[in-house]
């Protein structure tokens, strides 16, 4: 199987790896780039644990081939905090205990950040629909919605 | 598996025509990657068509219709004010497909070529009278969207042929369309029944209509009798009753865990009435 050389930008850094064309972007991030924050819950686009941004668009990295990332921009959970400073969403998830096992959390944080960039003041319903592709087996979702609302309020300067 | 990223559709068609084994085209990947993962298909050649110029674009055609590139994702359709104003039913059908993440990748053309009778975006395309431009090893041809699916998971495309764009006709004045589906929850599910209606009016009278049902037959089904039931009417109670009957008569669904034959048939009539009402109100320019 011939491997393909891929050059891409991940969280602002230029990254190169050799990908088997069958490998997903999720596999490549985890196994070749060493970024294991994005998780595989299903591998079939159902759970959202692998959520990343590809050229700014929220996607499931398990439904993108690694070779498709050539020349593009990828953002993962590892790029969310700035230096040692957690993103408001990350802080609010901890404050509200919006996670238990944490397996869904990276994907939900990446997805929620994309929402708040588009809509700084979403309703609970808008958050629930936006995150409908992010499954969580632990929290029952309520704390997640509250954490996103609280982070949104802080980011609007209202909290 | 060999990965190809051709620069033109002619090149893509040649690659597919000459490929000795199993070939798949890759656009959004939301079906193909799942099939790869489940080992439902093991392509020898995977042809990524997203590097072809224009595939990510939505543009006006010379006749005031629309040309939609094969890599245009659902989220892009939803964000396109002009297309949404002309064909809200086409856009709302596509927007029902999958999660936010899936909307970032999934395409109309992919939904069509996957060949599911329950594909949410296909009834709206058929109701609109959309046409697929196909590039093959010997040239281009155009085919009505309703003639692409031939059964669950099957299409009329032959070896080497690839859809190179979807074309929507000009909407013109006093037209409206709508798509509705029934699912037992509010999001992230497959249609038990879907229905799209597109029509035009003159004053209060419907002058042309197309009614299309999804998930009640082996393919998405255009129902001319249902259109006849409302053409020439002001969508009064008698017309709605005739529409319901015609929609029900067009159903030959399966019985499965999602719905029984009787349930699907009844829901087809209900959705036809409701979608016709929304399309009618849109065509009359106002309230939805
Ligand atoms: S691992 Fe990608 S959606 Fe579940
Ligand atoms: S915290 Fe365990 S799956 Fe969400």
């Amino acid at each position: 199987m011939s491997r393909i050389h891929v050059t891409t930008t991940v969280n602002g850094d230029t990254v190169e790896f050799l990908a088997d064309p069958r490998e997903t972007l999720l596999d490549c991030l985890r196994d070749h780039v060493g970024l294991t924050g994005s998780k595989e819950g299903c591998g079939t686009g159902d759970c959202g644990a692998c959520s990343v941004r590809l050229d700014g668009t929220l996607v499931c990295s398990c439904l993108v081939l690694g070779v498709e990332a050539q020349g593009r921009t990828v953002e993962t959970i590892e790029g969310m905090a700035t230096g040692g400073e957690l993103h408001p969403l990350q802080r609010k998830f901890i404050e509200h205990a919006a996670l238990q096992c944490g397996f869904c959390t990276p994907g939900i944080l990446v997805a929620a950040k994309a929402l708040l960039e588009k809509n700084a003041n979403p309703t609970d319903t808008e958050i629930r629909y936006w995150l409908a592709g992010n499954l969580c087996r632990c929290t029952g979702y309520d704390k997640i919605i509250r954490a996103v609302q609280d982070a949104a309020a802080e980011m609007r300067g209202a909290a | 598996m060999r990965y190809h990223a051709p620069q033109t559709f002619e090149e893509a068609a040649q690659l597919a025509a000459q490929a000795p084994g199993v070939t798949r085209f890759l656009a959004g990947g939301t079906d193909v990657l799942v099939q790869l993962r489940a080992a439902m298909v093991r392509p020898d050649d995977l042809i990524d068509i997203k590097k072809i110029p224009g595939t990510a674009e939505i543009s006006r055609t010379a006749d005031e219709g629309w040309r939609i590139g094969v890599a245009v994702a659902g989220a892009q359709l939803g964000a396109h004010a002009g297309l949404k104003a002309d064909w809200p039913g086409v856009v709302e059908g596509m927007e029902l497909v999958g999660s936010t993440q899936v909307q970032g990748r999934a395409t109309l053309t992919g939904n069509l070529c996957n060949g599911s009778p329950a594909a949410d975006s296909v009834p709206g395309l058929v109701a609109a009278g959309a046409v697929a431009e196909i590039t093959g090893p010997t040239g281009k041809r155009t085919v009505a969207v309703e003639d692409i699916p031939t059964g669950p998971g099957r299409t009329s495309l032959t070896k080497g042929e690839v859809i190179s764009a979807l074309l929507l006709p000009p909407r013109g004045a006093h037209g409206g369309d709508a798509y509705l589906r029934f699912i037992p929850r509010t999001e992230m599910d497959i249609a038990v029944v879907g229905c799209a209606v597109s029509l035009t009016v003159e004053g209060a009278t419907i002058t042309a209509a197309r009614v299309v049902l999804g998930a009640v037959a082996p393919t998405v089904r255009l129902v001319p009798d249902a259109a006849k039931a409302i053409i020439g009417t002001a969508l009064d109670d008698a017309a709605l009753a005739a529409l319901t009957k015609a929609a029900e008569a067009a159903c030959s669904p399966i019985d499965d865990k999602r719905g029984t034959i009787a349930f699907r048939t009844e829901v087809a009539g209900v959705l036809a009435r409701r979608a016709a009402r929304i399309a009618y109100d849109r065509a009359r320019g106002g309230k939805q």
Side-chain angles (χ1 to χ4, degrees):
Chain A
M1 190 58 57
S2 65
R3 292 178 163 253
I4 296 177
H5 181 251
V6 177
T7 308
T8 183
T9 305
V10 181
N11 302 325
D13 297 330
T14 302
V15 161
E16 293 177 56
F17 53 86
L18 286 175
D20 179 310
R22 289 168 303 190
E23 282 178 310
T24 65
L25 175 59
L26 176 62
D27 295 335
C28 292
L29 287 170
R30 292 180 58 88
D31 301 341
H32 301 324
V33 186
L35 295 177
T36 54
S38 308
K39 307 300 182 198
E40 179 173 299
C42 63
T44 50
D46 297 297
C47 77
C50 64
S51 297
V52 303
R53 312 272 289 269
L54 183 63
D55 287 345
T57 302
L58 184 69
V59 300
C60 296
S61 60
C62 72
L63 293 186
V64 178
L65 291 175
V67 292
E68 291 183 75
Q70 171 63 38
R72 304 180 71 180
T73 305
V74 182
E75 292 159 77
T76 72
I77 185 64
E78 285 87 349
M80 196 152 167
T82 15
E85 184 101 4
L86 292 182
H87 186 277
L89 276 163
Q90 293 173 304
R91 253 191 301 109
K92 292 300 178 186
F93 266 61
I94 296 169
E95 265 175 45
H96 286 264
L99 64 151
Q100 287 178 36
C101 78
F103 202 79
C104 68
T105 312
I108 292 187
L109 287 168
V110 169
K113 181 164 176 272
L115 170 65
L116 297 186
E117 282 170 21
K118 211 173 110 103
N119 179 355
N121 194 6
T123 63
D124 284 6
T125 304
E126 285 168 335
I127 298 172
R128 285 181 188 274
Y129 271 95
W130 184 269
L131 296 178
N134 290 89
L135 304 184
C136 174
R137 63 185 180 177
C138 302
T139 62
Y141 301 101
D142 231 66
K143 291 174 170 185
I144 291 173
I145 308 304
R146 274 182 257 155
V148 174
Q149 284 292 22
D150 202 8
E154 183 184 300
M155 289 163 71
R156 290 193 307 271
Chain B
M1 186 183 85
R2 287 171 294 267
Y3 171 80
H4 310 271
Q7 291 292 318
T8 65
F9 277 106
E10 289 69 22
E11 203 187 318
Q14 289 303 336
L15 275 167
Q18 285 156 19
V22 178
T23 308
R24 278 290 181 281
F25 290 105
L26 176 68
T30 52
D31 288 310
V32 171
L33 264 72
V34 175
Q35 291 163 2
L36 285 184
R37 164 101 185 183
M40 281 165 63
V41 281
R42 295 177 187 276
D44 301 296
D45 291 278
L46 186 71
I47 305 171
D48 186 349
I49 51 182
K50 290 190 296 296
K51 300 266 161 72
I52 301 172
T55 49
E57 282 162 29
I58 302 171
S59 54
R60 273 274 185 207
T61 55
D63 66 351
E64 294 292 293
W66 295 95
R67 181 182 177 92
I68 302 175
V70 295
V72 170
Q76 257 177 288
L77 293 179
H80 197 290
L83 182 69
K84 238 170 139 171
D86 272 8
W87 296 105
V90 171
V91 176
E92 71 197 356
M94 186 61 209
E95 285 190 299
L96 286 172
V97 175
S99 60
T100 315
Q101 287 86 341
V102 168
Q103 283 289 314
R105 294 265 292 171
T107 67
L108 282 171
T109 302
N111 201 218
L112 175 62
C113 291
N114 192 46
S116 167
D120 279 310
S121 75
V122 178
L125 287 172
V126 174
V131 163
E133 178 197 272
I134 298 168
T135 302
T138 57
K140 285 193 195 313
R141 66 186 179 108
T142 52
V143 170
V145 162
E146 58 266 37
D147 294 330
I148 299 287
T150 53
R154 292 202 316 271
T155 72
S156 57
L157 298 171
T158 58
K159 186 167 168 67
E161 286 192 321
V162 55
I163 293 183
S164 40
L166 290 176
L167 302 165
L168 285 168
R171 173 72 276 189
H174 314 300
D177 70 332
Y179 174 74
L180 291 175
R181 70 169 178 189
F182 175 82
I183 55 172
R185 55 209 295 253
T186 55
E187 179 70 332
M188 299 288 287
D189 207 346
I190 295 169
V192 178
V193 181
C195 181
V197 176
S198 175
L199 50 79
T200 51
V201 295
E202 228 177 86
T205 307
I206 297 170
T207 53
R210 281 164 74 90
V211 178
V212 183
L213 292 171
V216 294
T219 63
V220 164
R221 190 166 271 186
L222 178 64
V223 190
D225 285 346
K228 261 184 235 151
I230 55 173
I231 292 170
T233 76
L235 210 62
D236 49 48
D237 288 349
L240 288 170
L243 169 67
T244 306
K245 263 185 114 167
E248 288 175 356
C251 294
S252 51
I254 53 168
D255 245 328
D256 71 0
K257 62 181 177 192
R258 300 183 175 281
T260 61
I261 290 171
F263 180 75
R264 283 192 153 104
T265 304
E266 181 168 345
V267 171
V270 174
L271 292 185
R273 285 200 299 273
R274 291 181 187 170
R277 170 56 64 187
I278 297 168
Y280 184 73
D281 289 342
R282 285 175 177 168
R284 300 196 69 200
K287 48 190 173 57
Q288 304 206 339

